[in-house]
Amino acid sequence: MAFTYGQLVSGGVGKQLATTLGLPRPARLRRHQLGGSLVPGAVLVAGHGDAPVAERVRHLLEDAGVQVASLPSTSVVGVVLDLTAIETPADLETLRSVLGPALRTLAPTGRVIVVGRPPEGTGSVSQAAARRSLEGVVRSVGKEMRAGGTANLVLVDDGADAGVDATVRFLLSGRSAYVSGQVFHVGRPVGELVAPADWDQPLAGKVAVVTGAARGIGAAIADTLARDGATIIAVDVPAAGGPLAEVANRLSGTALQLDVTAEDAGARIVEHAQARHGGFDIVVHNAGITRDKLLANTDADRWDAVLQVNLLSILRMNEALVPAIREGGHIVHISSIAGIAGNRGQSHYAASKAGVIGMTQALAADDAVLAKGITVNAVAPGFIETEMTAAVPFATREIGRLTNSLSQGGQPVDVAETIGYFAWDANRAVTGNVVRVCGQMLLGA
Ligand code: NAD
């Protein structure tokens, strides 16, 4: 088996060499464990002015049995900084004076969460500037984090503070191990915010459809949603029938052999879900293909195949799925970093994955979707270790692995965890979001 760069620098001579030369050494990330605590230590919670979100977060942490530290703090595993009340760029001094010292003592795999308000939500030019500054700072802090730490920004609309809890919980937890340098938007909830009876089973009683579930990221999504309490309808092409049945049987779910590009794919999913499970609450459109070629060499068939599987089939299926999904349901699409930054040899793939972002934002704001209290979000994975990326040539693969703030590829479970978070009923205040699960890849925005 070929050695990866990460394995090479994890011990012995390779480790010494990496230290001497100042090369990146990927840290072991803190991932979610059943029955584990939300965070393995104290969290510093601070804010500027009256800081209403900080107050909420203190209560949330106390309820979760987490020790809350105040200033001046010594060693903490996380920092939540409420800057919703900043008015001018001069107020950013609060960020420097709190976060700077805290970063010096932050424990490995630490979490930084800055909470602000969207720049668009103010009539003051100075306040808009200050609010937008937060994005620049947090993306920079993400790049300065050490030892597997992450930094993210949460923008909360005025009057929507109650919706912030789910996102703060997700970002502090091991579920967000490979999510860094991201901006989350929390708005007014599209339905009732319902916290689960048990945070280890946030999807208890839910039925989830996962396409492309026979392998790779799709199989991990099925595993993760099932771990969190959902019953799985695993969908994949008939040619993948064997591994598909294994996934469904392992999780006590059901398998549906289906090519998602079929005209009646949506209707067949609805029929299966109603006949076998009495309905469905969550849909994850994960099935996807790559057929890499420079645009100059891409013929119509290759172009159409990628667009059909990755975008057109989803548009068609959603026409049947939206009317049938239960009220308060959740739809999650899979985009890609290529849909944001573009990628050589992937103009058709990037077209499909950028299209997924447009579709996500428009569907989230659609009247029929809002009337049913459905959330629609997208995950944009960066470099994830799957058969799809194992097929990439060695040098390109190692560059993909290393060119992110965490200096490693993500695991399929990392994508799955973010999808799970989008599917929580406690998370009905997050819709129309596109979150990159990319370890803060250096490509794109
Ligand atoms: P994969 O090739 O390992 O698995 C894709 C699955 O989708 C397969 O089981 C395949 O049989 C199924 N599928 C393909 N066409 C289908 C069709 N017409 N109908 C039903 N099922 C079909 O891929 P993966 O790496 O697990 O990727 C999953 C998703 O994540 C895709 O949408 C992909 O574009 C996206 N993605 C992956 C990465 C990565 O680094 N692996 C990065 C960004 C985005």
Side-chain angles (χ1 to χ4, degrees), residues 212 214-217 236-237 258-261 286-289 309 334-336 349 353 381-384 386 388-389:
R215 69 175 206 183
I217 295 174
D236 212 302
V237 287
L258 174 73
D259 183 332
V260 294
T261 62
N286 162 79
I289 59 168
V309 177
I334 316 292
S335 177
S336 166
Y349 183 74
K353 295 299 188 179
F383 185 94
I384 306 297
T386 64
M388 195 185 252
T389 48

Side-chain angles (χ1 to χ4, degrees), residues 4-5 10 13 26 66 69 88 133 140 180 199 255 309 325 333 364 371 393 400-401:
T4 66
Y5 172 85
S10 67
V13 180
V66 175
T88 87
S133 293
S140 302
S180 194
W199 272 106
V309 177
I325 193 170
H333 299 134
R401 279 201 179 108

Side-chain angles (χ1 to χ4, degrees), residues 5 9 13-25:
Y5 172 85
V9 297
V13 180
K15 182 176 171 182
Q16 276 172 19
L17 201 64
T19 311
T20 312
L21 298 175
L23 298 174
R25 276 206 294 122

Side-chain angles (χ1 to χ4, degrees), residues 211-417:
T211 69
R215 69 175 206 183
I217 295 174
I221 296 167
D223 284 340
T224 305
L225 301 189
R227 178 205 68 192
D228 285 353
T231 300
I232 303 299
I233 299 174
V235 180
D236 212 302
V237 287
L244 181 69
E246 266 174 48
V247 171
N249 292 340
R250 177 173 82 225
L251 304 174
S252 306
T254 57
L256 173 61
Q257 292 187 11
L258 174 73
D259 183 332
V260 294
T261 62
E263 276 301 323
D264 63 347
R268 286 185 54 199
I269 291 173
V270 172
E271 207 176 275
H272 176 99
Q274 279 168 352
R276 303 289 297 274
H277 304 275
F280 61 103
D281 311 275
I282 299 163
V283 178
V284 185
H285 289 289
N286 162 79
I289 59 168
T290 49
R291 294 286 182 272
D292 295 4
K293 260 295 184 232
L294 296 179
L295 180 58
N297 303 326
T298 301
D299 62 24
D301 285 351
R302 189 178 286 263
W303 180 270
D304 186 53
V306 172
L307 266 290
Q308 282 294 344
V309 177
N310 295 358
L311 183 58
L312 288 158
S313 72
I314 306 176
L315 282 166
R316 251 192 323 265
M317 282 188 283
N318 279 343
E319 281 179 24
L321 297 175
V322 168
I325 193 170
R326 288 197 188 110
E327 297 238 341
H330 306 273
I331 297 176
V332 189
H333 299 134
I334 316 292
S335 177
S336 166
I337 206 84
I340 295 168
N343 204 13
R344 186 181 153 84
Q346 291 197 320
S347 58
H348 44 356
Y349 183 74
S352 70
K353 295 299 188 179
V356 162
I357 294 176
M359 172 174 66
T360 301
Q361 290 167 341
L363 193 61
D366 179 85
D367 287 343
V369 166
L370 288 171
K372 284 187 83 171
I374 300 166
T375 69
V376 185
N377 292 287
V379 171
F383 185 94
I384 306 297
E385 306 281 359
T386 64
E387 287 179 45
M388 195 185 252
T389 48
V392 173
F394 176 78
T396 318
R397 195 166 68 232
E398 284 306 305
I399 291 169
R401 279 201 179 108
L402 291 176
T403 47
N404 61 74
S405 298
L406 294 168
S407 306
Q408 58 193 290
Q411 296 297 325
V413 69
D414 296 323
V415 179
E417 297 282 18

